[in-house]
Amino acid sequence: MASNLWSEDQFSCSVCLELLKDPVAIPCGHSYCMGCIKNCWDQTDHTGVYSCPQCRETFTPRPVLRRNTMLAEVVEKLKKAGLNPPPAQSYAGPGDVPCDFCTGRKFKAVKSCLTCLASYCETHVKSHSEVTTLKRHKLINAIGDLEQKLCAEHQKVLEVFCRTDQTCICWLCAQDEHKSHDTVSAEVERSVKQKQLGETQAEIQQRIQERLKEIEEMKQAVESLKRSACIEIKESEKIFTELIRSIEKIHTEVIELIGANEKAAVNQAEGRMKNLEQEIAELKRRNTELKQLSETQDHIHFLQNFQSLGAPPEAGDLPSVTVNTDISFGAVRKAVSELKDHIEDFCKGELVKITTTVNEVAVYSLQAPEQRNRAEFLKYSCQLTLDPNTAYEELCLSEGNRKVTRGEIQRYPDHSERFDRYPQVLCREGLSGTRCYWEIEWSGGGASIGVTYKGISRKGWDGSCGLGYNDKSWSLDCSDSSYTAQHNNNKTAITAPRYPRIGVYLDFNAGTLSFYGVSDTMTLLHRFQTTFTEPLYPGFWLWDYNSPVTICQLN
């Protein structure tokens, strides 16, 4: 029985949501903790009207509160019986709407009443479903700042929206100063704005997807750049290693050359000195004999030996050697120094070229901001002309080599750069290290518009010659009913209306090649993202005899 009574909240205070403390019964029959109801009525003393927090019945004057002894005894017995209180509600935390009728620590409000302009927790909101007069009140999910839902002038709920002034008003405002304005209910205007909000959300989602796609493309570009940089670093290290080895080899050869010359000179000098020493020894011996002869007392002996010893010695046949007393390899040192200076000057000049080339790769500009209209693209327009040396024999060039038509065989001279099987032609101009934009007009059954490295094959029928069929070229195939983007024979089908004029935007440093349908607006048909390593030459492939292609004059 106690459980049934407890389920009817007979022994809990609807203000503090706990077991009654010093219970009192007010004239309408509802019971409260004496402290809870006293605090509620203390807050309305200035009005002189006192109401029940549950049924809203009002009392004047303020009822005298007396402790309900019998109810207090029942509550005490329930406590001793160990009856648990009802499940705890969530207390209001930061960002939550607190219940206006909870005392002490407030529970989280679940509903707000636009009629009462108050918010209620799960317990205190029950009166709005139990009391007949309260059932007509408008409940919404709990919101804060209910005062902002009132008209500042009439203190009525804001229920109307004035489209003329774009503001929320009450029904009295609608009948007064806004009488001649375009007004609708807040609910109707909400449905309109909700639709606009949905469109805005859809646009935001689309932009999010576009940005995510750009991020993915950027990641791919960064990875491609890293791979390219890694390859170039390894190749550069290899080249510089070979260069250092060459310099070390020259160094070794110069040292060996100096050493060989030193050895030859020293050997020659040492040989000469040995011969001279031998000659000196022989002359000393002869001089001794002559001295002895000159000192002899025997006249006969003197005269007999004078003939052989008295004649002057014959001069030797030794080679004449001039000894440089200031031996130096200054000339060699000068030549080596000049070699050093020459290499340093050459390296400085080449470093400038290398730096310029590396900067053209534009590591810091992986993706340029997207142009939003044709005028922005035209800032990068470039002049292109078709190269007769590349034209297939059935292609006729006209209008200053800006238009190509497929028809009768032309008498072009043989040339190594001419396509001999594919009806294709390239432009003279190679594009690199910059941004370029050009437009093409095409008609007839179809044509391919693209760019290629100069190394694309020109002879034969294999895929190494066709635009888009190899790793050296990128193309957009245009036909009556569809488009196809191609690179290295990988194809991407594109659904779009026919555009007789195609815009091509190349950002070489960013590694992007974009094709646009040109009309009143610019419609992106496809964008290639890669790393370009060589100058690109615009080119065209005419599919049949009724598909002329013209490079448009943009200036």
Side-chain angles (χ1 to χ4, degrees):
M1 179 177 179
S3 178
N4 291 336
L5 290 172
W6 186 262
S7 65
E8 296 174 4
D9 296 329
Q10 293 296 319
F11 304 105
S12 64
C13 174
S14 61
V15 175
C16 68
L17 306 179
E18 298 179 359
L19 284 176
L20 291 165
K21 306 180 194 68
D22 293 330
V24 296
I26 63 176
C28 64
H30 290 109
S31 299
Y32 299 93
C33 298
M34 180 176 290
C36 292
I37 192 64
K38 184 177 181 298
N39 289 337
C40 286
W41 286 352
D42 286 346
Q43 295 175 15
T44 58
D45 267 340
H46 64 285
T47 64
V49 179
Y50 307 93
S51 63
C52 173
Q54 292 189 61
C55 66
R56 298 293 182 174
E57 183 177 345
T58 59
F59 315 104
T60 305
R62 177 172 176 167
V64 177
L65 300 176
R66 292 185 176 86
R67 187 171 185 267
N68 189 324
T69 305
M70 184 170 60
L71 187 57
E73 290 176 355
V74 173
V75 171
E76 285 299 320
K77 290 180 180 180
L78 292 174
K79 287 182 179 179
K80 292 179 180 179
L83 192 64
N84 292 325
Q89 301 182 68
S90 299
Y91 286 107
D96 293 330
V97 178
C99 175
D100 292 323
F101 286 88
C102 289
T103 59
R105 187 177 180 183
K106 296 181 178 292
F107 287 107
K108 178 181 178 181
V110 294
K111 294 290 181 181
S112 294
C113 178
L114 295 181
T115 306
C116 302
L117 292 179
S119 298
Y120 302 90
C121 63
E122 291 180 357
T123 300
H124 289 132
V125 78
K126 289 180 179 179
S127 59
H128 277 74
S129 60
E130 297 172 351
V131 180
T132 303
T133 56
L134 298 181
K135 290 181 180 179
R136 293 192 292 268
H137 290 190
K138 187 173 182 180
L139 292 176
I140 61 174
N141 290 333
I143 59 173
D145 300 326
L146 283 170
E147 289 295 330
Q148 294 184 4
K149 309 302 183 292
L150 287 180
C151 172
E153 183 177 354
H154 302 107
Q155 294 301 304
K156 297 293 182 182
V157 177
L158 300 174
E159 300 176 297
V160 182
F161 185 78
C162 177
R163 288 176 172 173
T164 304
D165 294 336
Q166 291 292 301
T167 186
C168 295
I169 59 177
C170 70
W171 65 272
L172 288 177
C173 292
Q175 296 175 357
D176 191 3
E177 61 264 33
H178 295 267
K179 183 176 182 180
S180 60
H181 292 182
D182 180 11
T183 59
V184 294
S185 69
E187 185 177 357
V188 171
E189 185 64 18
R190 163 65 185 272
S191 65
V192 175
K193 291 291 194 291
Q194 187 74 37
K195 182 179 180 181
Q196 296 176 358
L197 184 64
E199 294 173 352
T200 302
Q201 287 178 305
E203 182 180 349
I204 290 174
Q205 287 298 323
Q206 181 180 355
R207 291 184 65 181
I208 289 173
Q209 294 303 316
E210 291 175 353
R211 294 299 180 263
L212 289 174
K213 183 180 178 182
E214 290 179 8
I215 289 175
E216 186 60 32
E217 292 175 348
M218 183 72 74
K219 288 181 179 178
Q220 294 178 5
V222 169
E223 290 303 317
S224 176
L225 181 83
K226 288 181 178 179
R227 290 193 297 269
S228 178
C230 182
I231 292 173
E232 292 306 316
I233 289 173
K234 290 181 179 179
E235 290 299 318
S236 296
E237 287 179 345
K238 180 179 178 181
I239 293 171
F240 276 105
T241 298
E242 293 175 354
L243 176 61
I244 292 171
R245 287 175 180 172
S246 297
I247 294 175
E248 289 177 343
K249 183 179 180 182
I250 294 174
H251 174 217
T252 301
E253 290 177 352
V254 170
I255 297 302
E256 290 177 350
L257 177 64
I258 294 174
N261 278 271
E262 174 197 16
K263 184 176 180 180
V266 169
N267 289 340
Q268 188 176 16
E270 288 178 346
R272 173 63 174 170
M273 287 188 293
K274 184 176 180 180
N275 292 333
L276 290 175
E277 288 173 352
Q278 291 176 351
E279 183 177 354
I280 289 171
E282 179 64 23
L283 290 174
K284 286 182 177 180
R285 184 188 63 77
R286 179 77 176 272
N287 186 53
T288 301
E289 291 177 350
L290 291 176
K291 182 178 180 182
Q292 292 174 353
L293 182 63
S294 64
E295 291 177 353
T296 183
Q297 298 297 321
D298 187 344
H299 301 301
I300 299 301
H301 176 75
F302 177 86
L303 292 174
Q304 289 176 338
N305 289 282
F306 177 81
Q307 190 66 27
S308 59
L309 296 177
E314 296 181 358
D317 294 331
L318 295 176
S320 176
V321 176
T322 302
V323 178
N324 186 357
T325 58
D326 186 22
I327 298 176
S328 172
F329 286 93
V332 177
R333 183 167 60 250
K334 180 180 179 182
V336 172
S337 178
E338 290 175 351
L339 174 62
K340 178 184 76 73
D341 294 341
H342 176 71
I343 292 176
E344 288 179 349
D345 292 341
F346 177 78
C347 288
K348 288 178 182 178
E350 291 303 308
L351 181 60
V352 172
K353 295 179 182 179
I354 293 171
T355 302
T356 303
T357 303
V358 171
N359 288 339
E360 286 179 352
V361 176
V363 173
Y364 50 84
S365 179
L366 292 171
Q367 182 66 56
E370 183 69 29
Q371 280 66 39
R372 298 188 179 274
N373 54 59
R374 185 166 177 263
E376 293 185 14
F377 283 102
L378 291 177
K379 293 187 297 185
Y380 304 104
S381 61
C382 60
Q383 297 295 328
L384 299 176
T385 53
L386 301 171
D387 185 357
N389 291 333
T390 66
Y392 177 62
E393 61 181 6
E394 292 182 356
L395 300 183
C396 176
L397 309 186
S398 60
E399 297 185 10
N401 287 346
R402 288 188 297 104
K403 181 177 181 179
V404 55
T405 307
R406 188 174 177 184
E408 297 180 357
I409 294 179
Q410 308 296 309
R411 295 185 178 275
Y412 291 125
D414 291 337
H415 200 284
S416 60
E417 295 184 357
R418 189 176 311 287
F419 292 99
D420 68 349
R421 292 292 185 270
Y422 279 79
Q424 297 181 153
V425 62
L426 304 182
C427 290
R428 294 179 183 274
E429 295 76 14
L431 309 176
S432 65
T434 184
R435 304 177 195 172
C436 300
Y437 177 75
W438 63 97
E439 291 181 354
I440 306 300
E441 286 186 347
W442 68 281
S443 60
S448 296
I449 301 168
V451 297
T452 180
Y453 293 147
K454 193 169 186 177
I456 189 173
S457 298
R458 316 297 175 100
K459 312 301 179 184
W461 277 111
D462 59 39
S464 62
C465 299
L467 290 173
Y469 282 82
N470 47 71
D471 61 358
K472 293 181 174 60
S473 61
W474 296 258
S475 73
L476 179 72
D477 299 344
C478 308
S479 67
D480 286 332
S481 57
S482 66
Y483 300 90
T484 302
Q486 288 200 95
H487 170 64
N488 203 18
N489 207 24
N490 293 321
K491 302 180 180 181
T492 301
I494 303 164
T495 302
R498 178 187 175 100
Y499 290 97
R501 180 174 285 218
I502 301 295
V504 186
Y505 177 64
L506 169 67
D507 190 335
F508 188 93
N509 294 334
T512 59
L513 175 68
S514 306
F515 295 90
Y516 291 85
V518 181
S519 58
D520 294 335
T521 58
M522 301 290 289
T523 302
L524 177 63
L525 299 176
H526 187 77
R527 177 183 292 118
F528 291 102
Q529 180 71 59
T530 184
T531 300
F532 298 120
T533 58
E534 303 175 29
L536 294 167
Y537 292 82
F540 312 98
W541 178 353
L542 277 64
W543 296 358
D544 57 38
Y545 295 93
N546 298 308
S547 301
V549 171
T550 303
I551 302 172
C552 302
Q553 286 276 32
L554 299 180
N555 295 332

